[in-house]
């Protein structure tokens, strides 16, 4: 393997974290601020880029870090290396309720395309890059824009997503339609496109938006039941206005909310 070979265990149900076990001199790389806890004798270091062997010196590292800025991620990543004699563990937590998804890139053909804020951690050597959507419709209406994350290598990587995760193995020619915000990741041989919702009433009043993603096999697709954008929208809509209370659980609360009052 070109990537470090790490062991792991995922804990929890709705608020999961992944515990990675490192042999001496093994290294994991993770998003800044994603570390939850770690054993003694694990050395933590902030780096440019992803720490893979293909960065090509200083300019390569700067270019790799620049690609992460384009995807909206932090300029820096953090490596965790076991400098002790025995096995040591380090844990990483999701930033919002959902699941941690292990991806064995070696079994997935060496590459996975993900929504741009999905990456959590990986074995050192996994390349975290960007994937440009070449189709104009996908770029404008695909929910993730023209740019998505690309994970490449033959080791383990971990991504996070909201709610419950559905894993779909599509056969050649098999197609599914997915809400654009619910798409988490897919293998590169999947044919990814955008389709407009049919019917004026459905498009305007159906509550599902004007477009959804179409994914055609063969390949693997991961779908989340609760995108963070949907969760944030519900939280924002439930917030009291003008410092008042929404009166949740009260019949009068609903009536006053309808009339524009908060108390």
């Amino acid at each position: 393997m070109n990537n470090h070979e790490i062991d792991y265990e995922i804990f929890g149900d709705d608020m999961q974290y992944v515990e990675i076990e490192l042999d001496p001199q093994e290294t994991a790389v993770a998003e800044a601020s994603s570390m939850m806890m770690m054993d003694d004798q694990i050395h933590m270091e902030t780096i440019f880029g992803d720490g893979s062997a293909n960065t090509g010196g200083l300019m390569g590292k700067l270019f790799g870090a620049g690609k992460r800025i384009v995807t909206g991620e932090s300029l820096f990543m953090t490596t965790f290396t076991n400098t002790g004699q025995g096995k040591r563990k380090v844990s990483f937590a999701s930033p919002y309720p959902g699941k941690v998804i292990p991806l064995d890139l070696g079994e997935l053909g060496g590459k996975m395309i993900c929504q741009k804020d999905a990456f959590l951690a990986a074995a050192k050597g996994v390349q975290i890059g960007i994937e440009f959507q070449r189709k104009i419709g996908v770029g404008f209406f695909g929910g993730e824009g023209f740019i998505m994350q690309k994970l490449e290598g033959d080791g383990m990587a971990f991504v996070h997503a909201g709610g419950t995760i559905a894993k779909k193995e599509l056969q050649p020619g098999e197609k599914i339609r997915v809400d654009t915000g619910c798409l988490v990741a897919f293998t590169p041989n999947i044919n990814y496109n955008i389709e407009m919702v049919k019917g004026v009433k459905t498009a305007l009043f159906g509550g599902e938006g004007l477009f959804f993603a179409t994914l055609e096999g063969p390949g693997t697709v991961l779908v989340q039941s609760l995108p963070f954008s949907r969760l944030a929208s519900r939280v924002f809509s439930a917030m009291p206005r003008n410092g008042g209370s929404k009166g949740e659980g009260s019949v009068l609360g609903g009536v006053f909310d309808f009339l524009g009052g908060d108390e």
Side-chain angles (χ1 to χ4, degrees):
M1 294 181 66
N2 295 320
N3 304 153
H4 288 203
E5 189 172 1
I6 57 176
D7 298 316
Y8 71 93
E9 186 173 359
I10 294 175
F11 295 90
D13 185 17
D14 296 325
M15 300 286 287
Q16 290 188 331
Y17 71 93
V18 57
E19 181 184 79
I20 295 176
E21 185 178 77
L22 300 174
D23 290 330
Q25 301 308 311
E26 277 187 344
T27 300
V29 60
E31 285 290 352
S33 77
S34 64
M35 194 274 291
M36 174 181 168
M37 60 181 172
M38 61 182 177
D39 290 343
D40 188 25
Q41 295 187 325
I42 287 185
H43 175 68
M44 184 171 64
E45 181 181 4
T46 300
I47 61 170
F48 282 107
D50 53 25
S52 64
N54 301 0
T55 50
L58 178 61
M59 291 304 297
K61 292 179 181 179
L62 290 173
F63 181 68
K67 291 189 295 184
R68 289 174 46 75
I69 293 179
V70 174
T71 62
E73 303 290 351
S74 169
L75 180 65
F76 302 98
M77 298 188 76
T78 308
T79 60
F80 300 83
T81 303
N82 180 5
T83 60
Q85 297 300 315
K87 294 179 181 291
R88 296 291 188 272
K89 296 177 181 179
V90 56
S91 300
F92 305 99
S94 302
Y96 54 85
K99 305 294 184 184
V100 176
I101 310 163
L103 301 175
D104 188 335
L105 297 177
E107 295 182 356
L108 293 168
K111 181 178 177 181
M112 201 73 174
I113 300 169
C114 312
Q115 62 179 359
K116 59 187 177 182
D117 61 347
F119 174 73
L120 182 65
K124 185 177 180 181
V126 171
Q127 292 181 270
I128 301 98
I130 58 176
E131 181 80 6
F132 289 99
Q133 297 301 327
R134 296 177 178 85
K135 298 178 181 178
I136 294 178
V138 172
F140 279 114
F141 308 114
E144 295 297 329
F146 284 102
I147 301 169
M148 301 181 76
Q149 277 187 333
K150 175 177 62 176
L151 306 178
E152 291 183 290
D154 57 8
M156 292 298 304
F158 303 90
V159 298
H160 63 85
T164 301
I165 306 303
K167 182 178 181 181
K168 310 294 290 185
E169 298 288 351
L170 301 183
Q171 301 304 312
E174 184 180 1
K175 181 187 293 186
I176 60 171
R177 295 178 175 88
V178 179
D179 180 278
T180 55
C182 292
L183 181 61
V184 177
F186 54 92
T187 49
N189 48 334
I190 287 286
N191 183 15
Y192 173 41
N193 213 331
I194 294 297
E195 184 175 310
M196 189 170 184
V197 174
K198 296 180 179 178
V200 176
K201 288 191 296 183
T202 301
L204 294 180
F205 307 112
E208 302 300 332
L210 296 175
F211 303 91
F212 44 64
T214 61
L215 300 110
E216 183 177 353
T220 302
V221 179
L222 298 176
V223 182
Q224 61 185 343
S225 66
L226 183 60
F228 179 72
S229 58
R230 187 179 296 177
L231 174 62
S233 176
R234 290 300 181 95
V235 170
F236 179 78
S237 65
M239 292 175 62
R241 269 60 168 181
N242 302 322
S245 171
K246 292 282 284 188
E248 185 175 354
S250 165
V251 174
L252 290 178
V255 172
F256 283 123
D257 184 53
F258 176 76
L259 296 175
D262 290 316
E263 297 185 18

